[in-house]
Amino acid sequence: MGVNKESVGDTNLSGSMTKQLSKTLSFHPLSKPHISNMGAMIEDMEIDLRSNLDNLSVQKTREVVNSIIRRPGSLAGPRQAQDFTSSLNSAILKHGATRNVDSE
């Protein structure tokens, strides 16, 4: 994902992940063909990848927000942290109100 705006500059957020899974499953040409086994494995892998990405996103967001609030040399105390949290919440709500929801 790339963004090139004056407010944030030229920013690129991207990455890749590779996973491999090997399983021995039962096979029957009529009741449990290979495609059925493959579909189940793909779904399991997708759930695992989505979970890992969600965890990564939450951890990185927390790290970035904490680094902004607790910059060395800043006067960030409880009041400043509360102001920051309030402004962040309002920005998220504003963005959510104008966001186009992707169809699944």
Side-chain angles (χ1 to χ4, degrees):
M1 178 174 83
V3 176
N4 190 1
K5 292 185 178 179
E6 189 175 320
S7 60
V8 294
D10 187 16
T11 305
N12 185 357
L13 176 63
S14 60
S16 66
M17 179 184 285
T18 304
K19 284 200 161 199
Q20 183 175 335
L21 178 66
S22 178
K23 279 187 179 180
T24 303
L25 300 169
S26 62
F27 167 76
H28 187 274
L30 299 176
S31 63
K32 189 143 175 134
H34 287 301
I35 194 75
S36 173
N37 289 333
M38 289 169 43
M41 288 176 68
I42 290 170
E43 288 176 356
D44 291 343
M45 186 63 70
E46 179 187 14
I47 290 168
D48 184 51
L49 287 171
R50 286 182 185 269
S51 175
N52 288 340
L53 286 173
D54 285 343
N55 290 338
L56 175 66
S57 176
V58 168
Q59 290 170 0
K60 190 62 179 175
T61 301
R62 183 178 297 130
E63 180 183 320
V64 169
V65 169
N66 285 338
S67 72
I68 291 170
I69 293 174
R70 296 181 183 94
R71 284 190 320 259
S74 72
L75 300 175
R79 178 69 187 153
Q80 288 82 3
Q82 184 180 16
D83 291 343
F84 176 78
T85 304
S86 296
S87 68
L88 185 61
N89 284 338
S90 66
I92 290 170
L93 290 173
K94 181 181 174 186
H95 174 73
T98 61
R99 181 174 178 266
N100 292 331
V101 178
D102 298 333
S103 61
E104 292 186 26

